[in-house]
Amino acid sequence: MAVAMASCSVGVNLNSNSSLKRSLAVPAPTGAMAEASFGFAPKSFCTVHKGRLISSSTSITPRAAVEDGKTDGSPSETDAVPIPKVIIDQDSDPDATVVEITFGDRLGALLDTMSALRNLGLNVVKANVYLDSSGKHNKFAVTRVDTGRKVEDPELLEAIRLTIINNLIEYHPESSSQLAMGAAFGIVPPPEQVDVDIATHISVNDDGPTRSLLYVESADRPGLLVDLVKIIIDVNVAVESGEFDTEGLLAKAKFHVSYRGKPLIKSLQQVLANSLRYYLRRPATEEASF
């Protein structure tokens, strides 16, 4: 049976006060058109061959820069580079998407990052900073300018994630070697690649009378959030809400999922876990190899 193929551009044009102008390419898994959402309004996904970057203008050369008047780089050449963390939280605030960024104690007020988020059509409605043993945490609550509501589109959520990571590499080039995105966008790629078979962990458990909790951990890459949501809805499972964390070279996702308003039965849990595991562990084949 022939499988219909479709493609569309989801390149993100980032324009900020620091003259950051580039397109980030978001790859999507192979398949046909699918209706999907991150627990909210339906969204049509356009998919392409797995090995293809949708946008061709992906040349990004981060530079040492100054954000909010702070000199970029580590306080000392001998300091260990902390693990960057970016959290996209759809659970904690019913009215806004909460974004949290941590990079030890090296981040400033991130005014340029907030400007880049506004250029994606978002309002930063709240911002706060707190300190703990892991470092300085910058948190933003963002909503869409056009609706005043939290972000519901998986592609826009992924654009938010890539925008933040791109700005982090721009103003803190030393973070490049600690991020999977450093291989694509950074000056210094990670010294070692994550073994996908070892890094991939998937579990599904009941989470109350109406839903289940899906946990996915795997090697990070551009477009991963969109890919995961598409795979989930491809097996007729609804995504109600969730959290997507980028921790260095790894991505960790928690999704509240359901099937017709009920938790997933064991057989459907197994189908979902197998589908995700197959996609995450299968090797990427470059088009040039055909």
Side-chain angles (χ1 to χ4, degrees), residues 80-287:
V81 178
I83 301 296
K85 296 182 182 180
V86 178
I87 298 173
I88 308 293
D89 179 7
Q90 291 287 79
D91 281 336
S92 61
D93 190 322
D95 302 315
T97 297
V98 177
V99 178
E100 182 175 328
I101 312 167
T102 307
F103 187 46
D105 59 358
R106 303 186 181 200
L107 299 180
L110 299 184
L111 298 180
D112 195 87
T113 297
M114 286 192 283
S115 177
L117 292 176
R118 293 188 185 100
N119 289 335
L120 293 177
L122 303 171
N123 280 326
V124 180
V125 294
K126 289 186 292 185
N128 64 75
V129 178
Y130 70 92
L131 297 171
D132 63 15
S133 59
S134 64
K136 180 180 179 182
H137 301 253
N138 295 67
K139 294 184 72 172
F140 310 120
V142 299
T143 59
R144 294 184 61 131
V145 171
D146 55 354
T147 64
R149 298 174 60 85
K150 69 194 306 178
V151 180
E152 303 170 353
D153 180 359
E155 292 180 2
L156 183 53
L157 289 168
E158 179 69 351
I160 292 170
R161 187 174 78 101
L162 295 184
T163 298
I164 292 170
I165 292 173
N166 190 69
N167 267 30
L168 183 60
I169 294 174
E170 169 80 10
Y171 292 104
H172 295 273
E174 73 274 17
S175 67
S176 174
S177 64
Q178 301 279 13
L179 288 162
M181 305 300 177
F185 308 140
I187 296 174
V188 181
E192 296 181 1
Q193 296 297 316
V194 175
D195 187 314
V196 176
D197 288 336
I198 296 175
T200 299
H201 303 281
I202 300 169
S203 64
V204 187
N205 299 289
D206 289 346
D207 186 35
T210 62
R211 64 187 188 181
S212 299
L213 179 64
L214 168 65
Y215 176 80
V216 182
E217 179 177 334
S218 190
D220 191 23
R221 62 174 177 265
L224 183 58
L225 190 157
V226 178
D227 293 351
L228 293 178
V229 173
K230 182 189 179 301
I231 292 166
I232 295 169
I233 61 92
D234 275 351
V235 293
N236 296 319
V237 172
V239 182
E240 298 178 4
S241 63
E243 179 180 310
F244 194 93
D245 302 352
T246 305
E247 296 187 12
L249 304 178
L250 298 176
K252 301 178 181 181
K254 294 183 293 184
F255 297 108
H256 297 291
V257 297
S258 64
Y259 178 72
R260 297 183 178 179
K262 297 181 180 180
L264 275 59
I265 60 175
K266 293 298 182 181
S267 58
L268 186 54
Q269 290 181 13
Q270 192 64 48
V271 169
L272 177 58
N274 288 344
S275 298
L276 289 166
R277 190 172 290 110
Y278 170 76
Y279 174 76
L280 292 169
R281 289 182 173 177
R282 71 180 182 180
T285 303
E286 298 295 335
E287 286 184 282

